[in-house]
Amino acid sequence: MNFNILKPYPSPIISGHGIDVDFAMLAGCLGLLGLGLVMITSASSEVAAVQSGNALYHMIRHLIYLVLGLGACIATMMVPIATWQRMGFMMLVGAFGLLVMVLLPGIGREVNGSMRWIGFSFFNVQPSEVAKVFVVIYLAGYLVRRQKEVRESWMGFFKPFIVLLPMAGLLLMEPDFGATVVMMGAAAAMLFLGGVGLLRFGLMVLLAVVAVVVLIKAQPYRMARLTTFTDPWADQFGSGYQLTQALIAFGRGEWLGVGLGNSVQKQFYLPEAHTDFVFSVLAEELGAVGSLATVALFVFVSVRAMYIGLWAEKAKQFFAAYMAYGLAFLWIGQFLINIGVNVGLLPTKGLTLPFLSYGGSSLVICCACLGLLLRIEWESRTHLGSEEMEFDESDFAEESPHGR
């Protein structure tokens, strides 16, 4: 019997020289995860004490999600990027299946008027979080297979939208306008980096703007949000209540904040204080200095993710490069929308802040994306990213240069 088949496949955490990951990226994301745990504990304590009788209820659940997320990160680091490339179409079908399931009565769970979750006893799964990543993986494979067609013909440019538009339609049926914008934005960025001509890209941007305007006007509540955020104080105790309370939190924080755990707004003044508006509580308790430091950390991990894509592209691992770019844009899109909503630059939208907000699906998927990025960086640095390459112990005999 050949026992070599039982040996673990080489990965950043199974190699001849210990754990071999991009420690700068890992440290940045772990910093955000740690900060998120602290802020969830603080922002949810009052609500949890009243609703469940345990001030640490949400913190304990968030910690469980965090452990699951780190497990997902390790699991994705163990899988070769070539495997994700081969499974791209299956993942696309799975994404459609999940988005259809969540709309079915008896399967999907309605919360605050939206069917965005599939309930499993004590926890919920949000299919849109999974679908966004699966779309990125599929589109990365498409850009590699049809690279010349994408760059030179209109048909190569329009084909991805045969998949993207029905998926966007399913997301809007939940409704989840924020996830739709993030997914389509990441897809557009991937197409641009894939070499789509400026004329075709400009047309796509124009059509996207028109579509957004139509979608906003099609639903009265979206139009109300758009008009409210321009002057939330005009209806301070009505449609503008959530935003005005968030702005009060920023004002109370001033430069250095009121101190960790001393937020007043989290005491039933600011709705969703530990989910969509956790950044407002952070600004109140840690001040402008803490807020800017958090933003700087987000910028660092986002730029690092883009550089991981660039390094993969230089190593001629184009699928890995496009996937890294797509994952980076998913983070950037959610970050910009969530922060924009918190500071009043964008209409109120229910979208979590990556790594920080309370929410099991978002946290686990963010950690899984981190694992994918660490795997991409390792494969591009060690040049072991080709699925045809045979591995043996000699590949890991010498220490490879770790820093970039």
Side-chain angles (χ1 to χ4, degrees), residues 363-396:
L363 188 64
V364 172
I365 292 299
C366 281
C367 291
C369 291
L370 170 61
L372 289 172
L373 289 166
L374 293 175
R375 176 80 195 198
I376 291 170
E377 190 277 335
W378 178 79
E379 288 195 3
S380 65
R381 176 161 44 85
T382 58
H383 301 286
L384 299 176
S386 173
E387 62 178 306
E388 290 85 10
M389 183 170 290
E390 295 291 337
F391 295 94
D392 55 45
E393 292 299 325
S394 63
D395 291 322
F396 305 96

Short mmCIF file of all heavy atoms in Angstrom, two decimals, residues 363-396:
data_model
loop_
_atom_site.label_atom_id
_atom_site.label_comp_id
_atom_site.label_asym_id
_atom_site.label_seq_id
_atom_site.Cartn_x
_atom_site.Cartn_y
_atom_site.Cartn_z
N LEU A 363 -18.86 37.01 9.43
CA LEU A 363 -17.57 36.79 10.09
C LEU A 363 -16.88 35.54 9.56
O LEU A 363 -15.67 35.55 9.25
CB LEU A 363 -17.77 36.68 11.60
CG LEU A 363 -16.51 36.64 12.45
CD1 LEU A 363 -15.74 37.94 12.32
CD2 LEU A 363 -16.85 36.38 13.92
N VAL A 364 -17.63 34.45 9.43
CA VAL A 364 -17.04 33.19 8.96
C VAL A 364 -16.56 33.34 7.52
O VAL A 364 -15.46 32.88 7.17
CB VAL A 364 -18.05 32.04 9.08
CG1 VAL A 364 -17.53 30.78 8.39
CG2 VAL A 364 -18.34 31.74 10.55
N ILE A 365 -17.35 34.00 6.67
CA ILE A 365 -16.96 34.18 5.27
C ILE A 365 -15.74 35.09 5.16
O ILE A 365 -14.84 34.85 4.34
CB ILE A 365 -18.13 34.73 4.45
CG1 ILE A 365 -19.23 33.68 4.34
CG2 ILE A 365 -17.68 35.15 3.07
CD1 ILE A 365 -18.80 32.40 3.65
N CYS A 366 -15.67 36.15 5.97
CA CYS A 366 -14.49 37.02 5.95
C CYS A 366 -13.23 36.24 6.31
O CYS A 366 -12.18 36.42 5.69
CB CYS A 366 -14.69 38.19 6.92
SG CYS A 366 -15.72 39.53 6.29
N CYS A 367 -13.34 35.38 7.32
CA CYS A 367 -12.19 34.56 7.72
C CYS A 367 -11.82 33.56 6.63
O CYS A 367 -10.64 33.31 6.39
CB CYS A 367 -12.49 33.84 9.02
SG CYS A 367 -12.60 34.92 10.47
N ALA A 368 -12.82 32.99 5.97
CA ALA A 368 -12.55 32.07 4.86
C ALA A 368 -11.84 32.80 3.72
O ALA A 368 -10.91 32.25 3.10
CB ALA A 368 -13.85 31.44 4.37
N CYS A 369 -12.26 34.02 3.45
CA CYS A 369 -11.60 34.82 2.41
C CYS A 369 -10.15 35.12 2.80
O CYS A 369 -9.26 35.12 1.94
CB CYS A 369 -12.35 36.13 2.20
SG CYS A 369 -13.97 35.92 1.43
N LEU A 370 -9.92 35.37 4.08
CA LEU A 370 -8.55 35.56 4.55
C LEU A 370 -7.71 34.32 4.27
O LEU A 370 -6.57 34.42 3.80
CB LEU A 370 -8.55 35.88 6.05
CG LEU A 370 -7.18 35.89 6.74
CD1 LEU A 370 -6.27 36.95 6.12
CD2 LEU A 370 -7.33 36.11 8.24
N GLY A 371 -8.27 33.14 4.54
CA GLY A 371 -7.56 31.90 4.26
C GLY A 371 -7.23 31.75 2.79
O GLY A 371 -6.11 31.32 2.42
N LEU A 372 -8.17 32.11 1.91
CA LEU A 372 -7.91 32.05 0.47
C LEU A 372 -6.78 32.99 0.07
O LEU A 372 -5.90 32.63 -0.72
CB LEU A 372 -9.18 32.42 -0.29
CG LEU A 372 -10.33 31.40 -0.27
CD1 LEU A 372 -11.58 32.01 -0.91
CD2 LEU A 372 -9.93 30.13 -1.01
N LEU A 373 -6.79 34.20 0.62
CA LEU A 373 -5.74 35.17 0.29
C LEU A 373 -4.38 34.70 0.78
O LEU A 373 -3.37 34.86 0.09
CB LEU A 373 -6.09 36.54 0.88
CG LEU A 373 -7.25 37.26 0.20
CD1 LEU A 373 -7.74 38.42 1.05
CD2 LEU A 373 -6.84 37.76 -1.18
N LEU A 374 -4.33 34.13 1.98
CA LEU A 374 -3.07 33.61 2.49
C LEU A 374 -2.56 32.45 1.64
O LEU A 374 -1.35 32.30 1.41
CB LEU A 374 -3.23 33.17 3.95
CG LEU A 374 -3.50 34.28 4.97
CD1 LEU A 374 -3.75 33.70 6.35
CD2 LEU A 374 -2.34 35.29 5.01
N ARG A 375 -3.49 31.62 1.15
CA ARG A 375 -3.10 30.52 0.27
C ARG A 375 -2.56 31.05 -1.06
O ARG A 375 -1.55 30.57 -1.58
CB ARG A 375 -4.30 29.61 0.02
CG ARG A 375 -4.04 28.47 -0.97
CD ARG A 375 -3.32 27.33 -0.30
NE ARG A 375 -2.75 26.40 -1.26
CZ ARG A 375 -2.37 25.16 -0.96
NH1 ARG A 375 -2.50 24.70 0.27
NH2 ARG A 375 -1.84 24.37 -1.87
N ILE A 376 -3.22 32.07 -1.61
CA ILE A 376 -2.78 32.66 -2.87
C ILE A 376 -1.38 33.26 -2.72
O ILE A 376 -0.51 33.05 -3.57
CB ILE A 376 -3.78 33.74 -3.34
CG1 ILE A 376 -5.10 33.09 -3.75
CG2 ILE A 376 -3.21 34.56 -4.48
CD1 ILE A 376 -6.23 34.07 -3.99
N GLU A 377 -1.16 33.97 -1.61
CA GLU A 377 0.16 34.59 -1.38
C GLU A 377 1.23 33.53 -1.28
O GLU A 377 2.33 33.66 -1.83
CB GLU A 377 0.09 35.43 -0.11
CG GLU A 377 1.31 36.31 0.13
CD GLU A 377 2.45 35.56 0.81
OE1 GLU A 377 2.17 34.55 1.50
OE2 GLU A 377 3.62 35.98 0.67
N TRP A 378 0.94 32.44 -0.56
CA TRP A 378 1.92 31.36 -0.38
C TRP A 378 2.24 30.68 -1.71
O TRP A 378 3.40 30.42 -2.02
CB TRP A 378 1.37 30.35 0.63
CG TRP A 378 2.27 29.17 0.85
CD1 TRP A 378 3.40 29.13 1.63
CD2 TRP A 378 2.10 27.85 0.31
NE1 TRP A 378 3.94 27.86 1.61
CE2 TRP A 378 3.16 27.06 0.81
CE3 TRP A 378 1.16 27.26 -0.52
CZ2 TRP A 378 3.31 25.71 0.48
CZ3 TRP A 378 1.29 25.92 -0.86
CH2 TRP A 378 2.37 25.16 -0.35
N GLU A 379 1.22 30.39 -2.50
CA GLU A 379 1.46 29.72 -3.78
C GLU A 379 2.23 30.60 -4.74
O GLU A 379 3.11 30.12 -5.47
CB GLU A 379 0.13 29.28 -4.41
CG GLU A 379 -0.54 28.12 -3.69
CD GLU A 379 -1.64 27.47 -4.51
OE1 GLU A 379 -1.84 27.89 -5.66
OE2 GLU A 379 -2.29 26.55 -3.99
N SER A 380 1.94 31.90 -4.75
CA SER A 380 2.67 32.78 -5.66
C SER A 380 4.12 32.97 -5.20
O SER A 380 5.02 33.10 -6.03
CB SER A 380 1.97 34.14 -5.75
OG SER A 380 2.00 34.82 -4.51
N ARG A 381 4.35 32.96 -3.89
CA ARG A 381 5.71 33.15 -3.37
C ARG A 381 6.56 31.91 -3.53
O ARG A 381 7.76 31.99 -3.79
CB ARG A 381 5.62 33.57 -1.89
CG ARG A 381 6.96 33.70 -1.20
CD ARG A 381 6.84 34.53 0.07
NE ARG A 381 5.66 34.18 0.84
CZ ARG A 381 5.63 33.18 1.73
NH1 ARG A 381 6.69 32.41 1.91
NH2 ARG A 381 4.53 32.92 2.42
N THR A 382 5.97 30.74 -3.36
CA THR A 382 6.72 29.49 -3.46
C THR A 382 6.69 28.91 -4.87
O THR A 382 7.38 27.91 -5.14
CB THR A 382 6.16 28.44 -2.49
OG1 THR A 382 4.76 28.23 -2.78
CG2 THR A 382 6.29 28.91 -1.05
N HIS A 383 5.87 29.52 -5.76
CA HIS A 383 5.73 29.04 -7.14
C HIS A 383 5.24 27.60 -7.18
O HIS A 383 5.60 26.83 -8.06
CB HIS A 383 7.04 29.18 -7.91
CG HIS A 383 7.55 30.58 -7.98
ND1 HIS A 383 6.98 31.54 -8.78
CD2 HIS A 383 8.55 31.21 -7.29
CE1 HIS A 383 7.61 32.69 -8.61
NE2 HIS A 383 8.56 32.51 -7.72
N LEU A 384 4.40 27.23 -6.22
CA LEU A 384 3.84 25.88 -6.18
C LEU A 384 2.35 25.92 -6.49
O LEU A 384 1.59 25.07 -6.05
CB LEU A 384 4.08 25.25 -4.80
CG LEU A 384 5.53 25.08 -4.39
CD1 LEU A 384 5.63 24.55 -2.98
CD2 LEU A 384 6.23 24.14 -5.35
N GLY A 385 1.94 26.92 -7.26
CA GLY A 385 0.52 27.10 -7.51
C GLY A 385 -0.03 26.34 -8.69
O GLY A 385 -1.22 26.40 -8.94
N SER A 386 0.81 25.64 -9.42
CA SER A 386 0.31 24.92 -10.59
C SER A 386 -0.23 23.56 -10.19
O SER A 386 0.42 22.81 -9.47
CB SER A 386 1.43 24.73 -11.62
OG SER A 386 1.01 23.91 -12.68
N GLU A 387 -1.43 23.25 -10.68
CA GLU A 387 -2.04 21.98 -10.31
C GLU A 387 -1.29 20.80 -10.93
O GLU A 387 -1.44 19.67 -10.49
CB GLU A 387 -3.50 21.94 -10.74
CG GLU A 387 -3.72 22.06 -12.23
CD GLU A 387 -5.19 21.97 -12.58
OE1 GLU A 387 -5.82 21.00 -12.19
OE2 GLU A 387 -5.68 22.87 -13.26
N GLU A 388 -0.47 21.04 -11.99
CA GLU A 388 0.27 19.94 -12.60
C GLU A 388 1.57 19.62 -11.86
O GLU A 388 2.20 18.61 -12.11
CB GLU A 388 0.63 20.29 -14.06
CG GLU A 388 -0.58 20.32 -15.00
CD GLU A 388 -1.29 21.66 -14.97
OE1 GLU A 388 -0.72 22.60 -14.38
OE2 GLU A 388 -2.39 21.75 -15.52
N MET A 389 1.97 20.52 -10.93
CA MET A 389 3.26 20.33 -10.28
C MET A 389 3.20 19.20 -9.26
O MET A 389 2.26 19.09 -8.50
CB MET A 389 3.70 21.62 -9.60
CG MET A 389 5.07 21.56 -8.94
SD MET A 389 5.63 23.19 -8.41
CE MET A 389 5.94 23.97 -9.99
N GLU A 390 4.23 18.36 -9.24
CA GLU A 390 4.33 17.29 -8.27
C GLU A 390 5.12 17.80 -7.06
O GLU A 390 6.15 18.45 -7.21
CB GLU A 390 5.05 16.07 -8.87
CG GLU A 390 4.29 15.42 -10.03
CD GLU A 390 3.02 14.75 -9.56
OE1 GLU A 390 2.95 14.39 -8.37
OE2 GLU A 390 2.10 14.58 -10.38
N PHE A 391 4.66 17.48 -5.87
CA PHE A 391 5.31 17.93 -4.64
C PHE A 391 6.08 16.78 -4.01
O PHE A 391 5.64 15.63 -4.02
CB PHE A 391 4.27 18.44 -3.63
CG PHE A 391 3.53 19.65 -4.09
CD1 PHE A 391 2.31 19.53 -4.75
CD2 PHE A 391 4.05 20.92 -3.88
CE1 PHE A 391 1.63 20.65 -5.18
CE2 PHE A 391 3.36 22.04 -4.30
CZ PHE A 391 2.15 21.90 -4.95
N ASP A 392 7.23 17.09 -3.43
CA ASP A 392 7.92 16.13 -2.58
C ASP A 392 8.66 16.91 -1.50
O ASP A 392 8.62 18.14 -1.46
CB ASP A 392 8.90 15.25 -3.38
CG ASP A 392 9.90 16.08 -4.18
OD1 ASP A 392 10.45 17.04 -3.60
OD2 ASP A 392 10.13 15.76 -5.36
N GLU A 393 9.33 16.20 -0.61
CA GLU A 393 9.97 16.85 0.54
C GLU A 393 11.03 17.86 0.13
O GLU A 393 11.29 18.83 0.83
CB GLU A 393 10.59 15.78 1.46
CG GLU A 393 9.57 14.90 2.15
CD GLU A 393 8.65 15.70 3.05
OE1 GLU A 393 9.10 16.68 3.66
OE2 GLU A 393 7.46 15.35 3.14
N SER A 394 11.68 17.64 -1.02
CA SER A 394 12.74 18.55 -1.43
C SER A 394 12.21 19.95 -1.74
O SER A 394 12.95 20.93 -1.69
CB SER A 394 13.45 17.99 -2.67
OG SER A 394 12.54 17.91 -3.76
N ASP A 395 10.90 20.04 -2.06
CA ASP A 395 10.33 21.36 -2.34
C ASP A 395 10.37 22.26 -1.11
O ASP A 395 10.32 23.47 -1.21
CB ASP A 395 8.87 21.23 -2.79
CG ASP A 395 8.76 20.60 -4.17
OD1 ASP A 395 9.61 20.91 -5.02
OD2 ASP A 395 7.85 19.79 -4.37
N PHE A 396 10.44 21.65 0.08
CA PHE A 396 10.38 22.41 1.33
C PHE A 396 11.65 22.26 2.14
O PHE A 396 11.67 22.53 3.33
CB PHE A 396 9.18 21.93 2.17
CG PHE A 396 7.89 21.99 1.41
CD1 PHE A 396 7.39 20.87 0.77
CD2 PHE A 396 7.20 23.17 1.32
CE1 PHE A 396 6.22 20.92 0.06
CE2 PHE A 396 6.01 23.24 0.61
CZ PHE A 396 5.53 22.11 -0.02
#
